[in-house]
Amino acid sequence: MTIYQNLIAGEWVGSDATKNINPSDTNEVVGLYADGTVEDTRNAIAAAKAAFPAWSRSGIWERHVILKKAGDEIMARKDELGALLAREEGKTLPEAIGETIRASQIFEFFAGEALRLAGEIIPSVRPNIGVEITRDPLGVIGIITPWNFPIAIPAWKIAPALCYGNTIVFKPAELVPGCSWAIVDILHRAGLPKGVLNLVMGKGSVVGQTMLDSPDVTGITFTGSTGTGRRIAAASIEHNRKFQLEMGGKNPMVVLDDADLNVAVEAAANSGFFSTGQRCTASSRLIVTEGIHDRFVAALTEKLQTLVVDNALKSGTHIGPVVDERQLKTDTDYIEIGKQEGAKLAFGGELISRETPGFYLQPTLFTEATNQMRISREEIFGPVVSVIRVKDYEEALATANDTPFGLSAGIATTSLKHATHFKRNSEAGMVMVNLPTAGVDFHVPFGGRKGSSYGPREQGKYAAEFYTTVKTAYTLA
């Protein structure tokens, strides 16, 4: 098989490779993708550093054209790239195509932002002095992305980094290198100068650690586990490096007595189980008031019975496989923990077989859980959801906020009073009313609070807060 190589200083390099396995059919090798070394990573950092002076001063039209070309090609190839995404990550084909479209939209947005770069001119408090406030690019950006959104998350980090004049060393997750390679190839052919964007695939302990150890990496943006995020923070402080972290979530969805039952069930099912529950914004805690609890559980259970778990590429599949064997074991371990803690297994929890060998797990619903159980406090990152019964709205809000995380939160209610109060008092970075907790537009800020996030928000105009540094200049008239 052809080896998909790393891109370093404008050249494709690398001979050692790892198999990219389809979780819907473990007999299929999606492709062979290069393993980056310490030397590869150092060369990529050096290339990005050398390319920075010219790219940081490049014209806004040049940046616009390249980002626009990338967005157009991704959109034109949405079916092909969506199928690649579904094969390597296990997301259903409609979800995968939708994610690919989102990646295209992100590049389109930042192509526009490249033409809207602006600053401020204001008077000084002193006479005959002018003040200019502008934004300069940060420098060499290290980008480390997770496996659960193989094309959207790389897009929403790479596009603004390039838009604002930075150069990049990009390390995607080992499990899903295919979509990342495709994005880099598209940008490379769109006309990026050599060294501006460097791709180094491989192990985090090798590639990621080398990035962390380098004083030439000016900023690191990371999405992934809380533990890795903390290590990135510690290493970055040593180098006085700017860093941005998007980490875990244990997102609540509150369902009040006055909720529209159908709306609540649809939002809860989408939040907790679609994308196989492998979203940092997934709602794995359903906090339900007493008056609607039994009806809600019955309706949600009925809904789960209709969801088809199967090969991600198969028409009619609602939930694909878990991404790999390691994550599957994590999920099943937590199911056993939930049973041992005294929660009631109301639905699912079993491994299932399909026509092709894969990591298939029934959507799993626990009831009679408490907010102190491990299944209610720790991020599982799978299709495992707990229902917590509460007395009223006040207890529901307190329970929702009783978590070390604060990424996303939702509420199902027909009460304007409760919806308004929840939006104002939820300790989360993103709040949804009568909607799934997952699903954020590409042009608005994404991020959380507490243990979920650190640093400036991602996406939209807020991306400039991380990828640029503010300069204030004075001129005597």
PDB file of all heavy atoms in Angstrom, residues 133-154:
ATOM      1  N   ILE A 133      -3.487  50.501  17.564  1.00  0.00           N
ATOM      2  CA  ILE A 133      -3.565  49.197  18.223  1.00  0.00           C
ATOM      3  C   ILE A 133      -3.807  48.154  17.143  1.00  0.00           C
ATOM      4  O   ILE A 133      -4.831  48.191  16.442  1.00  0.00           O
ATOM      5  CB  ILE A 133      -4.690  49.163  19.269  1.00  0.00           C
ATOM      6  CG1 ILE A 133      -4.476  50.276  20.312  1.00  0.00           C
ATOM      7  CG2 ILE A 133      -4.751  47.802  19.959  1.00  0.00           C
ATOM      8  CD1 ILE A 133      -5.650  50.456  21.256  1.00  0.00           C
ATOM      9  N   THR A 134      -2.858  47.267  16.969  1.00  0.00           N
ATOM     10  CA  THR A 134      -2.939  46.258  15.923  1.00  0.00           C
ATOM     11  C   THR A 134      -2.683  44.868  16.508  1.00  0.00           C
ATOM     12  O   THR A 134      -2.292  44.729  17.669  1.00  0.00           O
ATOM     13  CB  THR A 134      -1.915  46.537  14.812  1.00  0.00           C
ATOM     14  OG1 THR A 134      -0.600  46.611  15.398  1.00  0.00           O
ATOM     15  CG2 THR A 134      -2.227  47.835  14.100  1.00  0.00           C
ATOM     16  N   ARG A 135      -2.923  43.859  15.691  1.00  0.00           N
ATOM     17  CA  ARG A 135      -2.662  42.479  16.094  1.00  0.00           C
ATOM     18  C   ARG A 135      -1.581  41.882  15.198  1.00  0.00           C
ATOM     19  O   ARG A 135      -1.699  41.910  13.976  1.00  0.00           O
ATOM     20  CB  ARG A 135      -3.942  41.627  16.014  1.00  0.00           C
ATOM     21  CG  ARG A 135      -4.954  41.971  17.099  1.00  0.00           C
ATOM     22  CD  ARG A 135      -6.134  41.006  17.073  1.00  0.00           C
ATOM     23  NE  ARG A 135      -7.039  41.252  18.187  1.00  0.00           N
ATOM     24  CZ  ARG A 135      -6.925  40.726  19.400  1.00  0.00           C
ATOM     25  NH1 ARG A 135      -5.901  39.908  19.657  1.00  0.00           N
ATOM     26  NH2 ARG A 135      -7.782  41.003  20.352  1.00  0.00           N
ATOM     27  N   ASP A 136      -0.560  41.324  15.818  1.00  0.00           N
ATOM     28  CA  ASP A 136       0.500  40.628  15.101  1.00  0.00           C
ATOM     29  C   ASP A 136       0.313  39.124  15.252  1.00  0.00           C
ATOM     30  O   ASP A 136      -0.210  38.652  16.275  1.00  0.00           O
ATOM     31  CB  ASP A 136       1.868  41.000  15.678  1.00  0.00           C
ATOM     32  CG  ASP A 136       2.323  42.391  15.272  1.00  0.00           C
ATOM     33  OD1 ASP A 136       1.664  43.009  14.412  1.00  0.00           O
ATOM     34  OD2 ASP A 136       3.339  42.862  15.826  1.00  0.00           O
ATOM     35  N   PRO A 137       0.753  38.330  14.255  1.00  0.00           N
ATOM     36  CA  PRO A 137       0.712  36.882  14.417  1.00  0.00           C
ATOM     37  C   PRO A 137       1.606  36.437  15.565  1.00  0.00           C
ATOM     38  O   PRO A 137       2.594  37.092  15.898  1.00  0.00           O
ATOM     39  CB  PRO A 137       1.219  36.364  13.073  1.00  0.00           C
ATOM     40  CG  PRO A 137       1.924  37.505  12.436  1.00  0.00           C
ATOM     41  CD  PRO A 137       1.272  38.744  12.946  1.00  0.00           C
ATOM     42  N   LEU A 138       1.243  35.313  16.160  1.00  0.00           N
ATOM     43  CA  LEU A 138       1.943  34.832  17.352  1.00  0.00           C
ATOM     44  C   LEU A 138       3.293  34.228  17.026  1.00  0.00           C
ATOM     45  O   LEU A 138       4.270  34.446  17.741  1.00  0.00           O
ATOM     46  CB  LEU A 138       1.054  33.795  18.060  1.00  0.00           C
ATOM     47  CG  LEU A 138       1.411  33.424  19.492  1.00  0.00           C
ATOM     48  CD1 LEU A 138       1.368  34.636  20.402  1.00  0.00           C
ATOM     49  CD2 LEU A 138       0.442  32.345  19.988  1.00  0.00           C
ATOM     50  N   GLY A 139       3.371  33.416  15.966  1.00  0.00           N
ATOM     51  CA  GLY A 139       4.633  32.768  15.620  1.00  0.00           C
ATOM     52  C   GLY A 139       4.404  31.350  15.130  1.00  0.00           C
ATOM     53  O   GLY A 139       3.516  31.093  14.320  1.00  0.00           O
ATOM     54  N   VAL A 140       5.210  30.425  15.627  1.00  0.00           N
ATOM     55  CA  VAL A 140       5.073  29.007  15.282  1.00  0.00           C
ATOM     56  C   VAL A 140       4.033  28.394  16.214  1.00  0.00           C
ATOM     57  O   VAL A 140       4.211  28.391  17.436  1.00  0.00           O
ATOM     58  CB  VAL A 140       6.405  28.262  15.416  1.00  0.00           C
ATOM     59  CG1 VAL A 140       6.210  26.758  15.159  1.00  0.00           C
ATOM     60  CG2 VAL A 140       7.445  28.842  14.463  1.00  0.00           C
ATOM     61  N   ILE A 141       2.953  27.872  15.637  1.00  0.00           N
ATOM     62  CA  ILE A 141       1.866  27.285  16.417  1.00  0.00           C
ATOM     63  C   ILE A 141       1.945  25.760  16.341  1.00  0.00           C
ATOM     64  O   ILE A 141       1.957  25.183  15.248  1.00  0.00           O
ATOM     65  CB  ILE A 141       0.485  27.732  15.900  1.00  0.00           C
ATOM     66  CG1 ILE A 141       0.381  29.264  15.874  1.00  0.00           C
ATOM     67  CG2 ILE A 141      -0.633  27.127  16.739  1.00  0.00           C
ATOM     68  CD1 ILE A 141       0.393  29.909  17.231  1.00  0.00           C
ATOM     69  N   GLY A 142       1.984  25.110  17.492  1.00  0.00           N
ATOM     70  CA  GLY A 142       1.850  23.667  17.555  1.00  0.00           C
ATOM     71  C   GLY A 142       0.375  23.307  17.693  1.00  0.00           C
ATOM     72  O   GLY A 142      -0.302  23.812  18.589  1.00  0.00           O
ATOM     73  N   ILE A 143      -0.114  22.477  16.786  1.00  0.00           N
ATOM     74  CA  ILE A 143      -1.520  22.081  16.790  1.00  0.00           C
ATOM     75  C   ILE A 143      -1.607  20.583  17.072  1.00  0.00           C
ATOM     76  O   ILE A 143      -1.011  19.774  16.346  1.00  0.00           O
ATOM     77  CB  ILE A 143      -2.195  22.413  15.443  1.00  0.00           C
ATOM     78  CG1 ILE A 143      -2.254  23.937  15.247  1.00  0.00           C
ATOM     79  CG2 ILE A 143      -3.593  21.808  15.371  1.00  0.00           C
ATOM     80  CD1 ILE A 143      -2.847  24.363  13.916  1.00  0.00           C
ATOM     81  N   ILE A 144      -2.336  20.221  18.126  1.00  0.00           N
ATOM     82  CA  ILE A 144      -2.524  18.819  18.506  1.00  0.00           C
ATOM     83  C   ILE A 144      -4.017  18.557  18.587  1.00  0.00           C
ATOM     84  O   ILE A 144      -4.721  19.193  19.370  1.00  0.00           O
ATOM     85  CB  ILE A 144      -1.841  18.507  19.853  1.00  0.00           C
ATOM     86  CG1 ILE A 144      -0.344  18.837  19.788  1.00  0.00           C
ATOM     87  CG2 ILE A 144      -2.042  17.041  20.232  1.00  0.00           C
ATOM     88  CD1 ILE A 144       0.383  18.681  21.118  1.00  0.00           C
ATOM     89  N   THR A 145      -4.509  17.625  17.765  1.00  0.00           N
ATOM     90  CA  THR A 145      -5.950  17.407  17.653  1.00  0.00           C
ATOM     91  C   THR A 145      -6.337  15.992  18.068  1.00  0.00           C
ATOM     92  O   THR A 145      -5.530  15.073  18.006  1.00  0.00           O
ATOM     93  CB  THR A 145      -6.430  17.672  16.211  1.00  0.00           C
ATOM     94  OG1 THR A 145      -5.728  16.822  15.307  1.00  0.00           O
ATOM     95  CG2 THR A 145      -6.194  19.130  15.833  1.00  0.00           C
ATOM     96  N   PRO A 146      -7.616  15.790  18.463  1.00  0.00           N
ATOM     97  CA  PRO A 146      -8.099  14.498  18.927  1.00  0.00           C
ATOM     98  C   PRO A 146      -8.677  13.669  17.785  1.00  0.00           C
ATOM     99  O   PRO A 146      -8.739  14.120  16.634  1.00  0.00           O
ATOM    100  CB  PRO A 146      -9.201  14.890  19.910  1.00  0.00           C
ATOM    101  CG  PRO A 146      -9.792  16.116  19.279  1.00  0.00           C
ATOM    102  CD  PRO A 146      -8.649  16.843  18.616  1.00  0.00           C
ATOM    103  N   TRP A 147      -9.154  12.464  18.134  1.00  0.00           N
ATOM    104  CA  TRP A 147      -9.653  11.569  17.094  1.00  0.00           C
ATOM    105  C   TRP A 147     -11.141  11.708  16.824  1.00  0.00           C
ATOM    106  O   TRP A 147     -11.634  11.200  15.821  1.00  0.00           O
ATOM    107  CB  TRP A 147      -9.342  10.107  17.453  1.00  0.00           C
ATOM    108  CG  TRP A 147      -9.739   9.672  18.837  1.00  0.00           C
ATOM    109  CD1 TRP A 147      -8.902   9.541  19.914  1.00  0.00           C
ATOM    110  CD2 TRP A 147     -11.045   9.305  19.298  1.00  0.00           C
ATOM    111  NE1 TRP A 147      -9.610   9.111  21.012  1.00  0.00           N
ATOM    112  CE2 TRP A 147     -10.922   8.960  20.674  1.00  0.00           C
ATOM    113  CE3 TRP A 147     -12.297   9.232  18.699  1.00  0.00           C
ATOM    114  CZ2 TRP A 147     -12.022   8.554  21.440  1.00  0.00           C
ATOM    115  CZ3 TRP A 147     -13.393   8.831  19.459  1.00  0.00           C
ATOM    116  CH2 TRP A 147     -13.246   8.497  20.809  1.00  0.00           C
ATOM    117  N   ASN A 148     -11.901  12.394  17.675  1.00  0.00           N
ATOM    118  CA  ASN A 148     -13.356  12.317  17.549  1.00  0.00           C
ATOM    119  C   ASN A 148     -13.942  13.236  16.475  1.00  0.00           C
ATOM    120  O   ASN A 148     -15.047  12.995  15.989  1.00  0.00           O
ATOM    121  CB  ASN A 148     -14.034  12.571  18.898  1.00  0.00           C
ATOM    122  CG  ASN A 148     -13.740  13.935  19.460  1.00  0.00           C
ATOM    123  OD1 ASN A 148     -12.650  14.486  19.289  1.00  0.00           O
ATOM    124  ND2 ASN A 148     -14.699  14.501  20.159  1.00  0.00           N
ATOM    125  N   PHE A 149     -13.230  14.297  16.104  1.00  0.00           N
ATOM    126  CA  PHE A 149     -13.656  15.147  14.978  1.00  0.00           C
ATOM    127  C   PHE A 149     -12.452  15.296  14.055  1.00  0.00           C
ATOM    128  O   PHE A 149     -11.751  16.307  14.096  1.00  0.00           O
ATOM    129  CB  PHE A 149     -14.169  16.498  15.466  1.00  0.00           C
ATOM    130  CG  PHE A 149     -15.565  16.447  16.031  1.00  0.00           C
ATOM    131  CD1 PHE A 149     -15.780  16.135  17.356  1.00  0.00           C
ATOM    132  CD2 PHE A 149     -16.667  16.685  15.216  1.00  0.00           C
ATOM    133  CE1 PHE A 149     -17.059  16.058  17.887  1.00  0.00           C
ATOM    134  CE2 PHE A 149     -17.960  16.608  15.728  1.00  0.00           C
ATOM    135  CZ  PHE A 149     -18.158  16.294  17.066  1.00  0.00           C
ATOM    136  N   PRO A 150     -12.211  14.300  13.195  1.00  0.00           N
ATOM    137  CA  PRO A 150     -10.949  14.230  12.463  1.00  0.00           C
ATOM    138  C   PRO A 150     -10.726  15.308  11.419  1.00  0.00           C
ATOM    139  O   PRO A 150      -9.597  15.518  10.985  1.00  0.00           O
ATOM    140  CB  PRO A 150     -11.011  12.853  11.787  1.00  0.00           C
ATOM    141  CG  PRO A 150     -12.068  12.098  12.491  1.00  0.00           C
ATOM    142  CD  PRO A 150     -13.050  13.128  12.967  1.00  0.00           C
ATOM    143  N   ILE A 151     -11.806  15.993  10.984  1.00  0.00           N
ATOM    144  CA  ILE A 151     -11.613  17.036   9.984  1.00  0.00           C
ATOM    145  C   ILE A 151     -12.044  18.407  10.488  1.00  0.00           C
ATOM    146  O   ILE A 151     -11.422  19.416  10.162  1.00  0.00           O
ATOM    147  CB  ILE A 151     -12.338  16.680   8.663  1.00  0.00           C
ATOM    148  CG1 ILE A 151     -11.794  17.537   7.510  1.00  0.00           C
ATOM    149  CG2 ILE A 151     -13.853  16.792   8.776  1.00  0.00           C
ATOM    150  CD1 ILE A 151     -12.198  17.034   6.135  1.00  0.00           C
ATOM    151  N   ALA A 152     -13.067  18.473  11.348  1.00  0.00           N
ATOM    152  CA  ALA A 152     -13.561  19.779  11.809  1.00  0.00           C
ATOM    153  C   ALA A 152     -12.584  20.439  12.779  1.00  0.00           C
ATOM    154  O   ALA A 152     -12.299  21.640  12.660  1.00  0.00           O
ATOM    155  CB  ALA A 152     -14.931  19.624  12.466  1.00  0.00           C
ATOM    156  N   ILE A 153     -12.071  19.689  13.750  1.00  0.00           N
ATOM    157  CA  ILE A 153     -11.179  20.313  14.732  1.00  0.00           C
ATOM    158  C   ILE A 153      -9.859  20.737  14.094  1.00  0.00           C
ATOM    159  O   ILE A 153      -9.388  21.861  14.348  1.00  0.00           O
ATOM    160  CB  ILE A 153     -10.983  19.405  15.961  1.00  0.00           C
ATOM    161  CG1 ILE A 153     -12.304  19.303  16.739  1.00  0.00           C
ATOM    162  CG2 ILE A 153      -9.876  19.942  16.869  1.00  0.00           C
ATOM    163  CD1 ILE A 153     -12.250  18.427  17.981  1.00  0.00           C
ATOM    164  N   PRO A 154      -9.216  19.906  13.260  1.00  0.00           N
ATOM    165  CA  PRO A 154      -8.052  20.438  12.547  1.00  0.00           C
ATOM    166  C   PRO A 154      -8.372  21.702  11.751  1.00  0.00           C
ATOM    167  O   PRO A 154      -7.573  22.647  11.739  1.00  0.00           O
ATOM    168  CB  PRO A 154      -7.653  19.271  11.626  1.00  0.00           C
ATOM    169  CG  PRO A 154      -8.074  18.057  12.377  1.00  0.00           C
ATOM    170  CD  PRO A 154      -9.373  18.455  13.037  1.00  0.00           C
TER     171      PRO A 154
END
